[in-house]
Amino acid sequence: MSKSKRLLELMLTVNRKRKFTVKELAYEFGVSTRTILRDLQELSELGVPLYSEVGPHGGYQVLKERILPPIAFSEEEAVAIFFAIHALRHYSSLPFSAEASSALKKFTQFMSQDIRDRIEQMKNRVDFITPTRQASSPYLSVLLDAAIQQRVLCIDYESKEKRADRLIQPIGIYTRNGLWYCRAYCFQNDDIRVFRCDRIHSAVPSDTKPRDLWHMHLGNSPSHPIEEQEQLALLAELTKTGVQACEAEPGLAAQLHIRKDGTGWLEGSIAKRDLLFFAKFFIGAGKDATVKHPPELLDCMKSYLLELSSHYSFS
């Protein structure tokens, strides 16, 4: 076996094993321990994160940030991945900003000149626009890791009303209109809440025992309390433009019904505690959405419109 082929297979092997001894590798590859030691040194210089442990039960181990094996991409696949990472530049905060920048640099470094030229031409002809926000969300990685590991965090959170410590168990993070949000179980309120990540001033691990929420993720976790809240039946008629507005609203998309002509209607339920949110949404939709019921939502819309009228002193 040639040295280059052995190094490639050795890289795949250590990534798979994570922990190993020099003797094990020497036996597996049919070479001397001295040869394996030299090969491991070369892998380390190439960027494979290895460290050794001394003692009778020691050996080598691959750090958490292990190197993935070489992957062959077609030109179109490489361009697609490049622009997927390139699109993230609009966000002031990312849970993996340094890694995204590093990956983009590696892609550029190993691309042929003709593909680089093609990408340069495409940069000014395709984009994924996201509103630029000045708000920073420095704890995205902490929140994401807690969601994956199902750990409880103590956060210093500033809501519209007050700033206080909260115990949360993150379910996941997501971005919308340039802002980051964390859906989490809130121990103080005993329900599922959504937190603006830029309003989190600190996030540290807590010794609080986590709840069993492994089955929950962003696709199936409720946006209302775990304990059943009072629900109101919703029905609203929509124009084509109204349908498009509801498609962009996660809380309504699941209740959306579309006709062949592009118009549609909303039919489902909303939590009573969310009346003001939906009142503002339907007011913003103007004549493109006509709420039929519940009457509580119509009353809330009327009250809010009166407040706006009073605020601007309309005669």
Side-chain angles (χ1 to χ4, degrees), residues 145-170:
D145 186 61
I148 295 171
Q149 302 295 330
Q150 283 297 280
R151 294 173 180 166
V152 179
L153 298 175
C154 178
I155 63 171
D156 176 3
Y157 188 71
E158 185 174 1
S159 65
K160 292 181 179 180
E161 294 79 22
K162 63 179 180 178
R163 179 171 172 174
D165 289 340
R166 308 280 284 274
L167 283 177
I168 66 169
Q169 184 174 335

Side-chain angles (χ1 to χ4, degrees), residues 23-34:
K23 287 184 178 180
E24 289 174 354
L25 294 181
Y27 177 79
E28 185 172 341
F29 283 87
V31 296
S32 67
T33 55
R34 182 177 296 180

Side-chain angles (χ1 to χ4, degrees), residues 224-225 229-233 269-278 294 296-297 300:
H224 51 78
Q229 293 288 314
E230 183 178 355
Q231 299 288 307
L232 301 171
S269 62
I270 58 174
K272 190 173 183 179
R273 53 176 271 182
D274 294 332
L275 277 175
L276 182 58
F277 170 83
F278 287 109
E296 292 90 341
L297 178 56
C300 188

Side-chain angles (χ1 to χ4, degrees), residues 237-241 243-244 257-265:
E237 279 291 328
L238 306 169
T239 65
K240 291 181 181 180
T241 303
V243 166
Q244 294 171 359
H257 304 270
I258 305 176
R259 302 184 181 93
K260 290 183 178 181
D261 63 357
T263 64
W265 74 97

Side-chain angles (χ1 to χ4, degrees), residues 47-61:
V48 179
L50 299 170
Y51 77 93
S52 60
E53 298 175 328
V54 297
H57 302 290
Y60 279 82
Q61 190 165 336

Side-chain angles (χ1 to χ4, degrees), residues 285-296:
K287 295 182 179 179
D288 293 308
T290 304
V291 176
K292 301 294 185 179
H293 60 74
E296 292 90 341

Side-chain angles (χ1 to χ4, degrees), residues 9-29 50 60-62 66:
E9 292 194 11
L10 185 60
M11 181 187 294
L12 299 175
T13 300
V14 299
N15 272 283
R16 185 182 72 250
K17 288 180 175 290
R18 293 298 303 276
K19 191 172 184 179
F20 51 86
T21 66
V22 172
K23 287 184 178 180
E24 289 174 354
L25 294 181
Y27 177 79
E28 185 172 341
F29 283 87
L50 299 170
Y60 279 82
Q61 190 165 336
V62 183
R66 52 185 173 174

